[in-house]
Amino acid sequence: MKLIVLACLAAAALAAPTPDEGTSSSVERDERVDHGDGHFRYAFELDDGTAVEAVGRPREEGGISIEGSYRYVHPDGESVEVTYLADENGFQPSGDILPTPHPLPAHAIEQIRFAEEQRALGVTFE
């Protein structure tokens, strides 16, 4: 019985997937500071181009605001970076990879301009 269990464990170990060469990364930088009062900073970077940084500060109104960024290399080889602010207004990212809304069509822009012109003349809409 012990031999069967040992054989099964050995077979499972031999069948376990191994990472492909070049897919593992090593840490090049790892910094962490926490003052315990809401002030903190961390940063790490891997040799594959992945990096994360964040700085946290307590807010007078309570809570913490965090400013940070993360970067990685997209499978197509392009370096992608996103910066963000997280505070009472939520998570606010910015970066070229993030989707953006479609531009307004010309007729919608004209309607907005006309409505602003009417409001400036004192016209109210009910």
Side-chain angles (χ1 to χ4, degrees), residues 29 31-35 39-43 53-56:
R29 179 173 68 132
E31 301 171 9
R32 302 170 206 205
V33 177
D34 187 350
H35 297 285
H39 289 90
F40 67 85
R41 180 181 188 290
Y42 64 83
E53 292 190 33
V55 175

Side-chain angles (χ1 to χ4, degrees), residues 36-96:
D37 61 355
H39 289 90
F40 67 85
R41 180 181 188 290
Y42 64 83
F44 73 84
E45 190 166 351
L46 304 179
D47 64 357
D48 68 357
T50 302
V52 176
E53 292 190 33
V55 175
R57 295 179 186 87
R59 297 178 45 247
E60 287 184 20
E61 305 82 21
I64 296 174
S65 67
I66 303 172
E67 291 181 62
S69 66
Y70 57 89
R71 181 181 72 236
Y72 62 93
V73 178
H74 192 273
D76 69 6
E78 179 185 356
S79 181
V80 176
E81 184 167 6
V82 175
T83 59
Y84 64 88
L85 172 64
D87 60 10
E88 70 275 8
N89 297 315
F91 181 70
Q92 304 157 57
S94 64
D96 291 340

